Amino acid sequence: MLTLNHYHNQWIDLRSDTVTHPTEEMLDAMVKADVGDDVYQDDPTTLQLEELAAKMVEKEAALFVPSGTFGNQLALISHTERGDEVLIPESNHIVMHEVGASAVIAGVQLRCIPDVNGCITIKDLQYRFRDGDIHNPRTGLICLENAHSSGKVIPLADMQEIFNYSRSLGIPIHLDGARIFNAAFALKVDATDISQYCDSVMFCLSKGLCAPIGSILAGSKSYIDRARKNRKLMGGGLRQSGYLAAAGLISLKKMVQRLPLDHENAQYLAKRLREIPELEIFDDRLDINMVFFRIKKKNFDSDALVHYLSKKNIKINLPMAEEFRLVTHYWIDKRKIDWVIMIIKEYMQKAL
Ligand SMILES: Cc1ncc(COP(=O)(O)O)c(C=O)c1O
């Protein structure tokens, strides 16, 4: 008899949607999964997951990979040659949070573009595109991120414009779509309306979609063939990956459609946080399942707040550049949000 880990009964974890554990249905499916050896390409559950994943973003093929970072870096090495330059908004995950892997694995140079919540313009790209001058690296790839981890989505019209421009130069686009389905709900479109404007897309099964491990890289058949070989080179050729893919299948079949609830809960969390006068909520970045705020008081002791919440079984991250980020997900409901608000109010009354 399977029982769920009781972590989610003990902790209210708002640090990220990466903290989601698999549901009981997923655990059950994992135990019963039909598996083979995926390096031999005969693991039926992984093949089924890859087929469905490719279909959901309307690409010819898809590959199961261990993580979002792995998927992005695999995308880069499979699109580029060593020494290429990659045009990318400077606040993207690939630049900020992937340990400089692009220099180590693909051996590319990231040409970072100042952006506003992941948005850049054609002008930004035009200015940075390299011609064939002997001094120049080749411009090998453009990267975008939608939804962006600032909590905003990139409008479809912007993506289309950049896509059309990339066609005129013959440069591919990779989309970090870790939360592409959140972006689709926020934009009120289908995920395929977004993925039509990129050559490859990575999306995560392990965030709001609750799978314990795994992401997808999708693209054309020839591109995914190349990526399969590179995945092996990177040590990501998994064997009985069907045990993990079984959870991923439930992510795609059942968890995608409930993401709007996380967005609704983020709106509710923001509304309740507005009751606390010491906080400033960034209302213009409430597109998905993330709420950003800052404490108005100068020299506020953020460590003490995080520590206080932790003693009350609430996990939040320390602020980055004075911004706190709270993330809603499958294991967060309005009742838990009410509890968190009560504890923050209690702390503010004591501390200020
Ligand atoms: C936008 C974005 N891309 C990529 C990743 C990397 O995913 P992983 O943590 O699975 O490596 C994350 C993780 O939070 C992310 O937010």
Side-chain angles (χ1 to χ4, degrees):
M1 166 70 180
L2 278 171
T3 52
L4 267 182
N5 176 325
H6 291 294
Y7 178 91
H8 285 290
N9 293 331
Q10 290 162 9
W11 288 96
I12 299 177
D13 196 338
L14 292 160
R15 290 173 300 173
S16 177
D17 45 12
T18 59
V19 303
T20 49
H21 284 208
T23 62
E24 205 140 349
E25 185 184 5
M26 284 178 175
L27 291 174
D28 199 40
M30 288 167 78
V31 170
K32 294 177 184 148
D34 194 7
V35 300
D37 184 323
D38 189 50
V39 175
Y40 287 108
Q41 292 187 53
D42 66 7
D43 183 288
T45 312
T46 304
L47 292 174
Q48 208 188 326
L49 172 72
E50 290 173 342
E51 194 183 328
L52 177 60
K55 206 162 135 203
M56 287 176 78
V57 287
E58 239 167 55
K59 296 290 177 205
E60 284 173 8
L63 203 59
F64 182 59
V65 294
S67 70
T69 301
F70 194 113
N72 278 335
Q73 296 303 326
L74 178 62
L76 261 61
I77 196 175
S78 305
H79 275 302
T80 58
E81 291 167 15
R82 285 178 76 76
D84 274 1
E85 191 163 74
V86 174
L87 303 182
I88 183 166
E90 66 181 3
S91 67
N92 278 19
H93 196 275
I94 289 172
V95 180
M96 296 299 291
H97 304 295
E98 301 193 0
V99 208
S102 318
V104 178
I105 300 172
V108 291
Q109 165 164 302
L110 298 182
R111 181 96 183 263
C112 294
I113 304 173
D115 64 283
V116 181
N117 302 320
C119 288
I120 51 169
T121 63
I122 295 297
K123 248 191 164 154
D124 292 324
L125 291 171
Q126 272 166 346
Y127 167 68
R128 289 171 182 86
F129 172 69
R130 305 281 202 153
D131 63 23
D133 185 278
I134 194 167
H135 299 90
N136 290 349
R138 190 182 76 120
T139 303
L141 182 67
I142 296 169
C143 290
L144 295 172
E145 183 179 306
N146 207 6
H148 186 254
S149 50
S150 60
K152 289 286 286 178
V153 291
I154 303 178
L156 267 192
D158 288 26
M159 290 203 62
Q160 182 181 17
E161 210 185 353
I162 292 171
F163 181 75
N164 291 342
Y165 179 64
S166 76
R167 294 313 91 168
S168 71
L169 302 174
I171 303 175
I173 295 187
H174 170 65
L175 176 68
D176 177 345
R179 298 181 182 83
I180 192 174
F181 299 109
N182 296 82
F185 281 116
L187 290 165
K188 298 190 174 55
V189 299
D190 199 271
T192 56
D193 294 322
I194 301 174
S195 61
Q196 68 177 318
Y197 298 129
C198 64
D199 299 276
S200 62
V201 54
M202 183 285 292
F203 61 89
C204 296
L205 304 166
S206 61
K207 297 193 164 65
L209 303 183
C210 269
I213 292 170
S215 291
I216 295 290
L217 177 65
S220 70
K221 168 93 177 54
S222 59
Y223 175 76
I224 291 301
D225 284 347
R226 201 155 63 245
R228 185 181 296 281
K229 180 103 176 172
N230 286 328
R231 183 184 68 172
K232 190 78 182 85
L233 177 149
M234 288 165 65
L238 303 174
R239 300 293 181 173
Q240 285 72 53
S241 51
Y243 289 119
L244 299 173
L249 272 167
I250 293 172
S251 293
L252 294 184
K253 287 179 183 168
K254 297 204 170 164
M255 305 306 273
V256 169
Q257 65 217 42
R258 61 153 302 286
L259 288 176
L261 189 56
D262 295 340
H263 295 199
E264 187 191 309
N265 284 337
Q267 295 285 342
Y268 179 71
L269 173 59
K271 180 174 142 221
R272 298 279 346 253
L273 285 168
R274 277 184 220 114
E275 293 168 12
I276 305 173
E278 294 83 7
L279 308 189
E280 182 191 351
I281 319 302
F282 295 109
D283 288 318
D284 60 335
R285 284 200 262 138
L286 259 174
D287 287 350
I288 54 169
N289 60 333
M290 297 177 179
V291 181
F292 293 82
F293 67 88
R294 71 172 195 94
I295 313 270
K296 292 176 193 162
K297 186 173 177 283
K298 284 223 169 352
N299 301 322
F300 177 82
D301 187 350
S302 303
D303 285 68
L305 170 64
V306 173
H307 184 66
Y308 185 81
L309 293 178
S310 150
K311 281 199 302 191
K312 303 279 181 180
N313 290 11
I314 299 165
K315 292 194 187 196
I316 68 167
N317 279 327
L318 280 167
M320 276 173 72
E322 297 191 354
E323 272 184 22
F324 284 91
R325 183 191 76 166
L326 304 185
V327 184
T328 55
H329 52 76
Y330 183 83
W331 298 98
I332 300 294
D333 57 18
K334 292 196 174 61
R335 192 182 52 84
K336 288 183 178 173
I337 290 171
D338 287 337
W339 172 256
V340 171
I341 296 294
M342 191 186 83
I343 301 294
I344 297 179
K345 282 183 176 174
E346 183 183 286
Y347 180 79
M348 288 302 176
Q349 270 160 18
K350 278 188 200 165
L352 298 177

Coordinates of all heavy atoms in Angstrom, one line a residue, residues 18 67-69 72 93 98 145 149 176 178-179 202 204 206-207 215, ligand 1:
T18 N 9.0 24.1 -8.0 CA 9.9 22.9 -8.2 C 9.8 22.0 -6.9 O 10.2 20.9 -7.0 CB 11.4 23.3 -8.3 OG1 11.7 24.1 -7.1 CG2 11.7 24.1 -9.5
S67 N 16.5 17.3 -16.5 CA 16.1 18.6 -15.8 C 15.9 19.7 -16.8 O 16.4 19.5 -18.0 CB 17.2 19.0 -14.8 OG 18.4 19.4 -15.5
G68 N 15.4 20.8 -16.4 CA 15.3 21.9 -17.3 C 16.6 22.5 -17.7 O 16.8 22.8 -18.9
T69 N 17.6 22.6 -16.8 CA 18.9 23.0 -17.1 C 19.5 22.1 -18.1 O 20.1 22.6 -19.1 CB 19.8 23.1 -15.8 OG1 19.2 23.9 -14.9 CG2 21.2 23.5 -16.1
N72 N 17.9 22.8 -21.6 CA 18.4 24.1 -22.2 C 19.8 23.9 -22.7 O 20.1 24.3 -23.9 CB 18.4 25.2 -21.2 CG 17.0 25.8 -21.0 OD1 16.2 25.8 -21.9 ND2 16.8 26.4 -19.8
H93 N 17.1 32.5 -17.5 CA 17.6 31.4 -16.6 C 19.0 30.9 -17.1 O 19.9 30.6 -16.4 CB 16.6 30.3 -16.5 CG 16.8 29.3 -15.4 ND1 17.7 28.2 -15.5 CD2 16.3 29.2 -14.2 CE1 17.7 27.5 -14.4 NE2 16.9 28.1 -13.5
E98 N 22.4 28.9 -14.6 CA 22.8 27.5 -15.1 C 24.4 27.4 -15.0 O 25.0 26.7 -15.9 CB 22.2 27.3 -16.5 CG 20.7 27.3 -16.4 CD 19.9 26.8 -17.6 OE1 20.5 26.3 -18.6 OE2 18.7 26.8 -17.5
E145 N 12.6 33.2 -23.2 CA 12.1 32.5 -22.1 C 10.6 32.9 -21.9 O 10.3 34.1 -21.7 CB 12.9 32.8 -20.9 CG 12.5 32.0 -19.6 CD 13.4 32.4 -18.4 OE1 14.6 32.3 -18.5 OE2 12.9 32.8 -17.4
S149 N 10.8 34.2 -15.7 CA 10.7 33.9 -14.3 C 10.6 35.2 -13.4 O 10.6 35.2 -12.2 CB 11.9 33.1 -13.8 OG 13.1 33.7 -14.3
D176 N 13.2 28.6 -23.8 CA 13.1 28.1 -22.5 C 11.6 28.2 -22.1 O 11.2 29.3 -21.6 CB 14.1 28.8 -21.6 CG 14.0 28.3 -20.1 OD1 13.0 27.6 -19.8 OD2 14.9 28.6 -19.3
A178 N 10.1 26.5 -19.7 CA 10.0 25.7 -18.5 C 8.5 25.7 -18.0 O 8.0 24.7 -17.6 CB 10.9 26.3 -17.4
R179 N 7.9 26.9 -18.1 CA 6.5 27.0 -17.7 C 5.6 27.4 -18.9 O 4.8 28.4 -18.9 CB 6.4 28.0 -16.6 CG 7.1 27.6 -15.3 CD 7.0 28.6 -14.2 NE 7.7 28.1 -13.0 CZ 9.1 28.3 -12.9 NH1 9.8 29.0 -13.8 NH2 9.7 27.9 -11.8
M202 N 12.1 23.8 -24.6 CA 12.3 22.9 -23.4 C 11.1 23.3 -22.5 O 10.8 24.4 -22.3 CB 13.6 23.3 -22.8 CG 13.9 22.4 -21.5 SD 13.0 22.8 -20.0 CE 13.7 24.4 -19.6
C204 N 9.3 21.9 -18.5 CA 9.5 21.1 -17.4 C 8.3 20.3 -17.0 O 7.2 20.9 -16.9 CB 10.0 21.9 -16.2 SG 11.6 22.7 -16.5
S206 N 8.5 18.8 -14.0 CA 8.8 18.7 -12.6 C 8.5 20.0 -11.8 O 8.7 20.0 -10.6 CB 10.3 18.4 -12.3 OG 11.1 19.5 -12.9
K207 N 7.9 21.0 -12.4 CA 7.5 22.2 -11.7 C 6.0 22.1 -11.4 O 5.6 21.3 -10.6 CB 7.9 23.4 -12.5 CG 9.4 23.5 -12.7 CD 10.0 24.8 -13.2 CE 11.5 24.9 -13.0 NZ 12.3 23.9 -13.8
S215 N 12.3 16.8 -17.7 CA 11.8 17.9 -18.7 C 11.8 17.3 -20.1 O 12.2 16.1 -20.3 CB 12.8 19.0 -18.6 OG 12.7 19.7 -17.3
Ligands
LIG1 C1 12.7 29.5 -16.6 C2 13.5 28.3 -16.1 N1 14.2 27.6 -16.9 C3 14.9 26.6 -16.6 C4 14.9 26.1 -15.3 C5 15.7 24.9 -14.9 O1 15.0 23.8 -14.5 P1 15.7 22.7 -13.5 O2 15.7 23.3 -12.1 O3 14.9 21.5 -13.7 O4 17.1 22.5 -14.0 C6 14.1 26.8 -14.3 C7 14.1 26.3 -12.9 O5 13.5 26.9 -12.0 C8 13.4 27.9 -14.7 O6 12.7 28.6 -13.9

